[in-house]
Amino acid sequence: MQSTSAESTAKPAAPPDLEIKDAQLIFNQVWKQLEDDYGRENLRFPKELILLGGAPGAGKGTNTNFIRKLRGITAEPIVVSALLDSPESQKLKSQGGMVGDREVVGILFRKLLEPEQQNGAILDGFPRTKVQVECLKLLFDEMMRLRRDFSATPDAFHFKQPIFHIMVLFVDEAESIARQLKRGQEVLAHNEEVRRSGLGELWEERATDFDPTLARNRYKVFKEKTYDALVSLKEIFHYHFINAQASLDLVQENIVRELEYQSSLELDPRTFDLLRKLPLASEIIRHARQDLVRRLDSYKVEKADLMQAVVDFIEGKMMPIIVRHSISGRADINSENTLFHDPEALAILIDIFSERGFHATADLHLIEIPERFDLQTGEIQCRKKKVFRFNIRFKGSEIRRG
């Protein structure tokens, strides 16, 4: 809890059950005021909320815009420390009041109701106390209740399934201190050049970027406040732990992977229960290459003759046609070869083309050919001819035109 008075820092922590009761009381007061001021039908919070925490030096500033672009979030990140410098907060402080959990929650919720936040919001610096954690849980519950209450009304569109992400960019203490001090040296060099040339803007010189002890203390504050508060929510909301000690490219690759489509969060629970048995495309393709190699190797050991026959057919009958279609990148080939009466031969052919970088499909067409006509009954007896139709696609040749 933040305060303008130094005495508040020495106040003993409240027992957990009391903190939860305090949170319920605070939340109820804030929520009632919001309903009175806005009207219940206008309590339209962001459909997606990303709670972003980063260790000092973890690259939170660098990656925030990357995350916004990735999720289609147009609003600027909401930095809680900046909100606490708002005129409303400053007025409260000037009157000798404290900016505690109730004030933080109230100011933040009102910010989240602004129209520009509706497509999604990134929240930096919240929650930081047990009370704030509980208020966040209560917010989610109320958003779900709003969704249910308005589901059969024209306003249903404004009350979508809430999506809360917890994202932590993490580096260890040694790396954090090293990066903070490195930043300090870069700031000094930059500011010296700005003062010398008169060009550019001065960067902020933070004491923690020049003193190892202060840098270590800043990391400790992160671990004991922001980190612990966010981790406490991992059992409720989707949690993303990003190891930020790697290169920027690898870190952003991990962010992309973590923020892939999450059915369990974005769909109605009943819809998700219906679909959950079907695998995600990402799960199928993750090990596709290894599975393909394993299948081809097993064909060579267990079905060597069949595999050789398929390879000979591809080389002798199909590749000459495919080469002639190298410009278009598509070849349609028909065959009546009895080799493919064995379904495994078709599987081997498709896998071979996949390994070579082609996309191959095959289907069977049955054609009835008249063989005998019964003059007395008028019955026509036919034999069925199997025709296998192969469609081979690949990247065609790029021809310069004009």
Side-chain angles (χ1 to χ4, degrees), residues 268-299:
D268 183 280
R270 292 165 296 182
T271 308
F272 178 67
D273 287 340
L274 179 64
L275 302 181
R276 66 189 308 169
K277 294 180 181 179
L278 301 177
L280 294 173
S282 59
E283 294 174 354
I284 294 175
I285 67 175
R286 187 171 297 134
H287 304 295
R289 175 66 187 176
Q290 295 91 322
D291 292 341
L292 174 63
V293 170
R294 186 167 53 252
R295 287 198 304 273
L296 287 170
D297 285 343
S298 70
Y299 298 148

Side-chain angles (χ1 to χ4, degrees), residues 186-200:
E186 293 172 347
V187 168
L188 288 178
H190 171 82
N191 288 349
E192 182 180 348
E193 178 61 22
V194 170
R195 293 187 181 100
R196 184 193 65 79
S197 65
L199 301 175

Side-chain angles (χ1 to χ4, degrees), residues 135-151:
C135 284
L136 189 69
K137 296 177 186 177
L138 293 169
L139 173 63
F140 184 85
D141 291 341
E142 283 296 335
M143 289 175 68
M144 291 296 291
R145 187 172 292 111
L146 286 168
R147 174 175 165 80
R148 291 192 299 270
D149 291 350
F150 288 94
S151 61

Side-chain angles (χ1 to χ4, degrees), residues 220-260:
K220 181 180 178 182
V221 170
F222 158 76
K223 282 293 297 293
E224 293 178 352
K225 290 188 176 181
T226 304
Y227 180 75
D228 286 349
L230 292 174
V231 169
S232 71
L233 291 165
K234 68 184 297 184
E235 300 302 325
I236 303 173
F237 307 124
H238 200 75
Y239 181 78
H240 311 278
F241 181 91
I242 305 296
N243 182 353
Q245 297 201 185
S247 66
L248 179 60
D249 287 344
L250 184 56
V251 169
Q252 293 187 341
E253 182 181 321
N254 290 336
I255 291 173
V256 171
R257 188 180 302 114
E258 282 291 320
L259 287 178
E260 283 181 340

